[in-house]
Amino acid sequence: MTLAVQRVPLELSARVPAEQRGPGRDRDDVRLLVSRGTEVTHHAFRELPCLLRAGDLLVVNTSPTLAAAVDGRVGHARVVVHFSTRGDDGRWAVELREPDGKGTTRARAGGPAGTEVRLAGGVRLALEEPLSPGSGRLWWARVSPAGAVLSSAGVVPGLLREHGRPIRYSYTERDQPLSVYQTVFALPSADGTGSAEMPSAARPFTARLVAELVSRGVQFAPITLHTGVASAEAHEPPYPERFAVPEASARLINAVRGGGGRRAGRRVIAVGTTAVRAVESATGADGLVRARAGWTDLVVTPARGVRVVDGLLTGLHEPEASHLLMLEAVAGRAAISRGYDEALGGRYLWHEFGDVHLVLPEENADTEHCSGNYQ
């Protein structure tokens, strides 16, 4: 997809969380762009309850965010290891980056195979092979403490708890505690795994807002998808990620869909591209969602389309991000192009602490109680 503006101005990067931008603010003090086809309206995120209706179903990701960045050394050189995804064999997909002197990092060539990284506490990380042929950025690596051979699955969660910090990039102003990167829906996982970076579309939700939505008859269907490092967005398709759609959530989604066809006025709205990927991965050609857990390599494109999702609440993505193909699959190219023109013209903020975009079906506008003129 090609947007009219190919570059998002640096000043439109959200540098700190909304609750740190002034006294009395909370996470939901962000702006909400709403697209219904090529019709666009501007709102505060706190208006979300009046943009939805009783019977709508929000699919939310419960994956917790990990403190996935750890300092290390390759020889005498300092590096930062981003732990991305745990494999079934106990290895982890990792990205090695260079400190940039500003508290963040810059890209670094990965490899070669056999490279050893020394981490805190005597932990050693050995690069074994690229995650995919021809890719030098992400590598499968095995981790063990000094003097012992243990499963990487057991070593890494403890390493991240003791020595890790949240992954952050240069557009942010400063380090933040891990709690800033947890959504209200995050649940701890039994095996210590989670997302390398926050499933950020859900970040503006607060307990108060969730309670208001429930009181208005909006339902929630939890799924889990552990996200990898976001730097893969630049011209790269998403790589396989671990996900789970529980039986109860599958039943809820199918009830709203009416066994394959949406009942009048009830919509399945995914909170984040991760929720789209998970639920569409659990949907058969018959349009029914079934409980499923494992790995998904699904890439949602306009050619593939969506089978279950009617709408999407998501952050604002860079023009080259592969996620824009998913948005186009949900709403069409004209709607997304129009929405992004409005976001750029309206000076919306990008990235994980930024503003959000709600894409709804064109025929289902119901905003009589919303002002629709928030700027």
Side-chain angles (χ1 to χ4, degrees), residues 57 221 245-258 289-291:
L57 180 66
V245 175
E247 177 65 35
S249 293
R251 287 200 303 267
L252 272 172
I253 296 167
N254 289 333
V256 170
R257 296 290 298 180
V289 182
R290 295 172 175 85

Side-chain angles (χ1 to χ4, degrees), residues 40-303:
V40 177
T41 53
H42 303 271
H43 302 267
F45 186 77
R46 286 177 176 173
E47 291 182 90
L48 182 65
C50 70
L51 290 159
L52 303 179
R53 58 168 72 92
D56 282 345
L57 180 66
L58 295 179
V59 182
V60 296
N61 189 355
T62 63
S63 178
T65 308
L66 301 175
V70 180
D71 293 324
R73 287 187 178 272
V74 175
H76 296 293
R78 294 175 58 219
V79 297
V80 177
V81 180
H82 288 178
F83 284 86
S84 182
T85 305
R86 194 199 75 186
D88 290 334
D89 59 1
R91 296 186 300 175
W92 281 75
V94 301
E95 179 187 22
L96 269 59
R97 295 176 68 89
E98 292 181 351
D100 62 4
K102 303 175 183 176
T104 51
T105 59
R106 53 178 171 256
R108 175 189 185 278
T115 296
E116 183 180 84
V117 184
R118 303 190 309 279
L119 303 172
V123 173
R124 297 289 188 270
L125 179 149
L127 302 186
E128 293 190 351
E129 61 181 333
L131 189 66
S132 57
S135 172
R137 189 178 64 84
L138 286 165
W139 283 70
W140 285 115
R142 202 168 293 277
V143 181
S144 64
V149 179
L150 297 176
S151 165
S152 298
V155 174
V156 173
L159 174 72
L160 301 186
R161 283 193 301 270
E162 292 187 34
H163 302 288
R165 61 184 179 275
I167 290 173
R168 78 174 182 97
Y169 297 105
S170 59
Y171 53 78
T172 55
E173 186 173 290
R174 57 182 176 270
D175 284 344
Q176 299 283 350
L178 184 60
S179 59
V180 167
Y181 291 89
Q182 302 295 2
T183 74
V184 71
F185 304 111
L187 297 173
S189 59
D191 60 2
T193 55
S195 290
E197 299 184 27
M198 173 177 53
S200 57
R203 191 185 189 279
F205 284 88
T206 62
R208 180 200 60 78
L209 188 64
V210 170
E212 184 178 352
L213 287 164
V214 171
S215 73
R216 287 172 174 253
V218 175
Q219 301 179 87
F220 291 84
I223 58 86
T224 301
L225 186 140
H226 296 319
T227 69
V229 293
S231 49
E233 283 190 323
H235 304 293
E236 294 181 1
Y239 47 81
E241 293 170 316
R242 192 187 299 270
F243 82 105
V245 175
E247 177 65 35
S249 293
R251 287 200 303 267
L252 272 172
I253 296 167
N254 289 333
V256 170
R257 296 290 298 180
R262 180 172 17 104
R263 293 175 181 172
R266 303 179 67 189
R267 302 165 293 190
V268 176
I269 300 170
V271 178
T273 58
T274 59
V276 176
R277 196 180 198 198
V279 74
E280 291 288 331
S281 295
T283 305
D286 57 1
L288 291 177
V289 182
R290 295 172 175 85
R292 188 178 170 196
W295 291 87
T296 177
D297 59 0
L298 176 66
V299 179
V300 178
T301 65

